[in-house]
Amino acid sequence: CYLDLHKVKEAQECYLRAIEINPAMTAAHCNISSILKMQGNISQALLHCHQAVMIDPSCSEAYTCMALILKDSQSLSQCLTYYQYSLQLNPSSSLTLNNLANVMKDMGDVPNAILCYKKALEITPFFPEAFCNMVYAKTFICDWENRDKDFEELVKFLKHQVDTGVVPSVQPFHAMVYPLAPEDKLVISQKYAEHTKTLVANYPCFQTYKYTPKNKIRIGYVSSDFGDHPTAHLMQSVFGMHDKSRFVVYCFSLSPNDCSSYRLKIQNECDYFYDLSGESDSYRAASLIHSCAIDILVNLNGYTKGSRNEIFALRPAKVQVSLCGFPNTMGADYIDYLVTDKTASPPEYKKYYSEKLLYMPNSYFVNDHAQSTLGLLKQRPTREEIGLPRDKFVFANFNQLYKIDPDTFKIW
């Protein structure tokens, strides 16, 4: 009940009390593992799952919980094994089928993922999460059959969840490519922002900030993508190109070192680099940022994979900004500004943003091609050299297919 009311602290205390009274209660171990996982306390979450399995080796929920925890750590093959074992113990679990499909999609097996979602919906017809996941999976293979009907149903699920106070199954990042009204996209982001705050409800937000006399502005960038990732491909030179007479640049990484050239370049060119990937406690991570007396803290993830928005919910900096990773509203009262442009965020739509909009003069979208592909720009190959006809129009799209919709395809 407490979780349904978003009272995470009270729910956590109840589960701990239940385990204290009855250490063999597998359900309590599984449930508290889910809370710990939401809070970023992965090691403790896994410990409770292992305790549940030791108590009852046939506890399918424990294997499902372990798979959910490991999914965020990129152990997809291990997740797949845990889900398959869980299904052997409980073949009629629509929840496990949905989660198995999520892993299949992330591993690139989209057709079989869609089949799993459909099987989950056969078992549990009213299953918004499985339905929304299926719709999203279809976009990855441009499966537009029943698209209009699917989105009509998706909007009904969304309205029901919003009206009943449930966090929407439509994720903010997915909503960007859906034919939804802008007010719906704002509500989705707001609900996710509210949920994020419940994950750190146990901790006090920072309210005082250290401002020592200084001539330079301290700007901090937080990202899980300081490595071989499109964000770093685009922004790798930005951190070193700040005016050093005016700014001190801090980078806070949410992912471990992948030893890529991008990571090395960012580490070498910013002033201070902190690896927070080993700090699962969001409050301690936020405390470190707060201790650096950051003037402006920039969220490069938004609602994308690897984000830890709960750090921002704790307000480690007085001014907090969204940039690059999520080019829509965060719907969060702990994000003050969105760096954007008038094409991505038309002024007449500003009422659908919770942030103040900081407009760049042309495009907000950073691109490092002037540095990273300098050789290619100097010696541009001819069409003949790369096997393209001189008198034809060539369509090229290097994005994932979910960014193509039927209207775009018709224009082509």
Side-chain angles (χ1 to χ4, degrees):
C1 290
Y2 278 130
L3 280 180
D4 290 340
L5 295 170
H6 307 302
K7 294 184 176 181
V8 178
K9 181 179 179 181
E10 291 83 351
Q12 188 172 0
E13 289 172 352
C14 284
Y15 289 136
L16 287 171
R17 179 63 178 148
I19 293 169
E20 185 181 332
I21 295 169
N22 181 7
M25 187 183 290
T26 56
H29 283 288
C30 291
N31 289 335
I32 199 168
S33 76
S34 298
I35 291 177
L36 291 165
K37 183 246 182 187
M38 286 191 298
Q39 294 173 339
N41 198 338
I42 304 302
S43 58
Q44 283 297 311
L46 286 171
L47 179 61
H48 279 281
C49 290
H50 288 302
Q51 286 176 329
V53 171
M54 288 175 66
I55 295 163
D56 180 8
S58 66
C59 179
S60 62
E61 292 84 358
Y63 290 103
T64 294
C65 287
M66 279 194 281
L68 278 168
I69 294 165
L70 290 170
K71 184 175 184 291
D72 289 342
S73 64
Q74 302 297 303
S75 304
L76 294 181
S77 59
Q78 198 171 356
C79 288
L80 195 71
T81 301
Y82 281 137
Y83 281 136
Q84 289 169 338
Y85 192 57
S86 182
L87 273 177
Q88 289 175 16
L89 296 169
N90 185 7
S92 61
S93 172
S94 56
L95 177 63
T96 304
L97 280 164
N98 172 69
N99 291 334
L100 175 63
N102 290 339
V103 174
M104 287 178 167
K105 179 181 72 65
D106 288 348
M107 295 179 75
D109 190 1
V110 178
N112 277 322
I114 293 171
L115 290 176
C116 275
Y117 290 132
K118 288 180 177 179
K119 189 172 180 181
L121 289 163
E122 288 172 6
I123 297 169
T124 308
F126 187 81
F127 191 172
E129 186 177 351
F131 183 83
C132 293
N133 287 338
M134 180 187 73
V135 171
Y136 188 55
K138 282 184 171 184
T139 67
F140 275 85
I141 54 173
C142 295
D143 181 350
W144 299 328
E145 188 177 1
N146 300 319
R147 178 181 168 89
D148 292 341
K149 184 179 177 182
D150 282 347
F151 279 110
E152 286 176 11
E153 194 68 19
L154 184 141
V155 170
K156 290 178 184 176
F157 278 131
L158 174 60
K159 186 178 186 321
H160 173 79
Q161 290 182 312
V162 170
D163 289 345
T164 55
V166 176
V167 178
S169 297
V170 179
Q171 296 181 35
F173 189 75
H174 301 175
M176 287 199 304
V177 296
Y178 287 171
L180 298 176
E183 54 266 32
D184 289 335
K185 296 179 181 182
L186 171 60
V187 168
I188 291 168
S189 288
Q190 287 173 330
K191 293 300 179 184
Y192 272 79
E194 290 168 10
H195 176 66
T196 297
K197 290 172 78 170
T198 69
L199 302 181
V200 288
N202 291 4
Y203 306 111
C205 291
F206 295 99
Q207 295 180 340
T208 59
Y209 304 93
K210 294 185 293 184
Y211 286 103
T212 54
K214 53 185 182 289
N215 297 320
K216 299 181 182 180
I217 296 172
R218 299 186 184 192
I219 183 166
Y221 293 92
V222 181
S223 179
S224 64
D225 304 324
F226 292 137
D228 189 2
H229 183 276
T231 296
H233 300 172
L234 296 168
M235 292 194 66
Q236 59 178 323
S237 297
V238 167
F239 312 101
M241 295 177 79
H242 286 65
D243 183 345
K244 299 296 184 178
S245 69
R246 298 176 59 201
F247 296 97
V248 182
V249 178
Y250 291 72
C251 288
F252 302 96
S253 178
L254 304 178
S255 58
N257 190 351
D258 65 353
C259 300
S260 65
S261 60
Y262 305 101
R263 174 76 165 220
L264 184 63
K265 180 179 175 66
I266 294 168
Q267 282 186 185
N268 288 342
E269 295 186 2
C270 70
D271 296 297
Y272 299 94
F273 191 98
Y274 292 90
D275 186 342
L276 299 182
S277 62
E279 183 51 82
S280 60
D281 186 291
S282 296
Y283 185 75
R284 285 200 293 265
S287 295
L288 187 149
I289 295 171
H290 182 257
S291 70
C292 294
I294 300 298
D295 296 305
I296 303 170
L297 190 64
V298 182
N299 186 339
L300 294 177
N301 273 98
Y303 294 116
T304 61
K305 194 171 186 178
S307 66
R308 288 177 63 183
N309 293 319
E310 57 272 21
I311 291 174
F312 286 83
L314 290 166
R315 273 280 180 185
K318 191 172 184 179
V319 177
Q320 301 190 153
V321 180
S322 176
L323 167 68
C324 190
F326 184 72
N328 202 352
T329 183
M330 292 281 290
D333 60 7
Y334 46 84
I335 298 294
D336 306 299
Y337 299 95
L338 170 66
V339 179
T340 184
D341 58 59
K342 291 183 179 180
T343 300
S345 306
E348 61 269 27
Y349 282 81
K350 67 179 180 181
K351 66 180 179 181
Y352 302 116
Y353 292 81
S354 61
E355 307 88 348
K356 292 184 177 72
L357 301 180
L358 298 178
Y359 284 120
M360 297 299 288
N362 296 303
S363 172
Y364 82 92
F365 201 73
V366 179
N367 195 312
D368 196 55
H369 67 271
Q371 285 73 233
S372 59
T373 58
L374 187 59
L376 185 62
L377 290 172
K378 286 182 175 179
Q379 290 187 315
R380 191 171 298 176
T382 64
R383 286 191 173 215
E384 289 80 3
E385 288 174 337
I386 54 177
L388 293 175
R390 175 173 286 279
D391 59 343
K392 303 295 182 184
F393 189 93
V394 179
F395 292 98
N397 175 43
F398 304 113
N399 291 288
Q400 295 189 68
L401 295 181
Y402 74 86
K403 297 182 182 180
I404 303 174
D405 58 26
D407 291 336
T408 302
F409 196 74
K410 284 176 186 175
I411 292 171
W412 290 356

